[in-house]
Amino acid sequence: MLPMFRAFGLCVFIGVSHADWILQEAEVLPYSADRSSWLLHDKVPAEHPVEFTVALKVDEDRHAALEKAFWEVSDPKHPKYGQHLSLDGITQLLAVPDSRVGLVKDYFEQAGATTVVGPNKDVITVSMPAAAAEAALNTSLSFFKPEGSDRRIVRASTQYWLPEHVAREVVMVGELLQFPHLSTAPLLKPVQGSGNWPNSCDAPGCSGLVTPAVLAQRYKLPSRSDAVAKNSMAVAEFQGQYYKDSDLSSFGNSCQRDVKVDKTIGGDKPVPGVEAELDIEYIKAVAPEIHLTVVYDNQFSLLSWVHQITSLQDSPLIHSVSYGNDEKQQISAQYIFTCNTAFMKAGARGLSILFASGDQGVCGRQGCGTMKHAPFHPDFPGDSPYITTVGGTDFKGSDIGEETAWSASGGGFSNYFGIPEYQKAAVAAYKASPDANLPPQRLWNNTGRGYPDVAALGGTKTPYCVAVQGTFAGVAGTSAACPVVAGVFAKLNGLRLKARKPPMGFLNPFIYQNPSAFQDVTSGKNSATRKWGFTAVKGWDPATGFGTPDYEALAKASMSIVSDDQSIVV
């Protein structure tokens, strides 16, 4: 006999039994071709192996203790600034009961799974045949493909359920309802760029494009930096994106930079992808002296990736990510909560996470309608208050100099999160500025967290020169801006570690306390092709944040922080 399935506050009677099941992520709509860029391809064979991430409940008082520790160690004005927790320290702080871990673990193992409990005991990775997973989750699994691509992912084509006694110990199961956004970073044909500066790379195709030398001049980067023990950085790659050593060598040799990957976690076929090679080439263009890890996640899963990096004993200190979800309706409260918990775990350990703000302006990936202007669509995780978000700019003229907001740079105000304490004054000043020319209030949330926090070159006026698939071409997008800013902060970590100071960890309190360490951007609007957007003004704005890096000023500001305990624990 079939069990009675029960949603939160809503009963859906499927049959009769003594067993109660609870619908998970109840507000997330099941897959629909009408609102997805992914196409349902075929049913998953019964024996096909699947893997997913089960996030366990963390008791409220323990979650509050994690957030408290996160803010204390991240605020340069707090006595505990830089006193980061170890991996074991996070485990002890969360104190997830062994009984909870054992109950969920046993349930899936009895259903035919192999399980791996994460070091913090709040996540279990489950691997099992598809048919067993469908029975354990009371769902249906299918292959999905993007149109015109051979790539495929496994996701649930219906909602999923757990027995009541298991559901009350689980927040969510990842890799079921969340569909990733497919990168739209434009790979341009090799053409003459519009920049009026000498080509510092040997490749003729780099002429007029942004190169490492352009970034070094604009952002005042030092000509040489020493490698420092324990300093490290990483880029995250999803969506079938990988790199080829020959492309990295070609870029490095042409542009006089030491570009190599020191370590790869995960891995895939060595087929070059523009997103991956852009990330690698330009984070190393900024910080060639720093150990680089590529963290590859073939699950197309933000949850899986963040679990990877927070489970490492020696996780890289800086993480640059170009990632977003495809549809707003695929984001649940549980998904956001679980991601933010992981971001706090990272920050409490002294890790910095930077995300690109997106490349569709204020309307995001869903757009703002046609006949009537719909409300703006802020991006997640770009609007999370627990990470640093990087927007994009263009040069205002044809020379290396003043910048303007790139019209397609993502930015705005969150619909999920209130204004965090660290940015309240900056957001209030923006809204009070007579130059802001704010969009109609019906289009955006006046009480939400504002993003991005900072910016860097990323617009289409002068794209970045990238070596990919054996040639040089121009690539634009906030996916270019993010690794550049990440590389800058990795260099700042090097200065601090060399002086036996702790790494910077979560960056936003430092950023908002040091606005003069950035080169302000005071023109442009991120409206993309629409009438309304947010205008860049003096000070912080939701188009470019506080502006673009000034390494010399940032170095002074980062080294002037005084904390009570200078010990290094990562």
Side-chain angles (χ1 to χ4, degrees), residues 287-465:
E289 76 280 8
I290 299 176
H291 186 281
L292 175 65
T293 298
V294 172
V295 182
Y296 183 82
D297 188 277
N298 60 8
Q299 292 275 35
F300 290 66
S301 169
L302 172 61
L303 283 179
S304 176
W305 165 79
V306 75
H307 175 56
Q308 278 184 287
I309 69 163
T310 54
S311 296
L312 296 172
Q313 188 71 46
D314 297 310
S315 187
L317 296 177
I318 296 279
H319 294 267
S320 175
V321 193
S322 302
Y323 179 95
N325 277 338
D326 193 31
E327 299 104 356
K328 176 178 180 292
Q329 57 264 44
Q330 295 298 339
I331 296 178
S332 68
Q334 295 93 330
Y335 172 80
I336 290 172
F337 176 85
T338 303
C339 288
N340 281 339
T341 299
F343 296 153
M344 285 190 283
K345 286 165 55 178
R349 288 185 57 196
L351 311 182
S352 307
I353 298 179
L354 298 91
F355 274 85
S357 70
D359 300 341
Q360 292 85 20
V362 291
C363 290
R365 298 172 181 89
Q366 295 182 81
C368 287
T370 53
M371 300 299 291
K372 182 180 178 181
H373 202 302
F376 300 155
H377 295 296
D379 183 77
F380 182 82
D383 65 348
S384 169
Y386 305 103
I387 54 95
T388 300
T389 309
V390 183
T393 63
D394 272 315
F395 281 124
K396 199 168 184 178
S398 299
D399 298 315
I400 300 173
E402 189 177 352
E403 294 166 68
T404 188
W406 178 38
S407 63
S409 179
F413 295 91
S414 175
N415 290 327
Y416 291 100
F417 312 111
I419 304 170
E421 191 65 35
Y422 61 75
Q423 71 165 192
K424 282 185 177 179
V427 169
Y430 169 74
K431 294 174 183 175
S433 171
D435 299 321
N437 190 25
L438 294 172
Q441 184 57 72
R442 62 180 175 82
L443 300 179
W444 56 285
N445 178 21
N446 188 45
T447 62
R449 185 270 212 253
Y451 76 101
D453 305 297
V454 293
L457 288 163
T460 53
K461 184 177 181 180
T462 53
Y464 283 58
C465 187

Side-chain angles (χ1 to χ4, degrees), residues 7-29:
F8 296 113
L10 173 68
C11 288
V12 183
F13 294 96
I14 305 295
V16 180
S17 176
H18 296 297
D20 282 349
W21 291 61
I22 292 184
L23 177 64
Q24 302 295 289
E25 298 186 85
E27 74 270 35
V28 181
L29 299 176

Side-chain angles (χ1 to χ4, degrees), residues 173-220:
V173 180
E175 296 83 52
L176 288 177
L177 298 180
Q178 281 72 38
F179 286 79
H181 165 64
L182 292 176
S183 175
T184 55
L187 175 60
L188 306 181
K189 295 179 180 179
V191 294
Q192 184 78 14
S194 61
N196 184 27
W197 48 74
N199 182 9
S200 61
C201 297
D202 296 334
C206 291
S207 179
L209 300 177
V210 172
T211 63
V214 172
L215 296 173
Q217 180 177 332
R218 174 57 185 159
Y219 300 143
K220 305 178 186 179

Side-chain angles (χ1 to χ4, degrees), residues 113 124 144 164 205 210 215 223 275 353 377 435 460 490 516 519 554:
I124 300 177
F144 294 84
E164 186 173 12
V210 172
L215 296 173
S223 58
E275 189 78 64
I353 298 179
H377 295 296
D435 299 321
T460 53
S516 61
Q519 301 181 93
L554 283 166

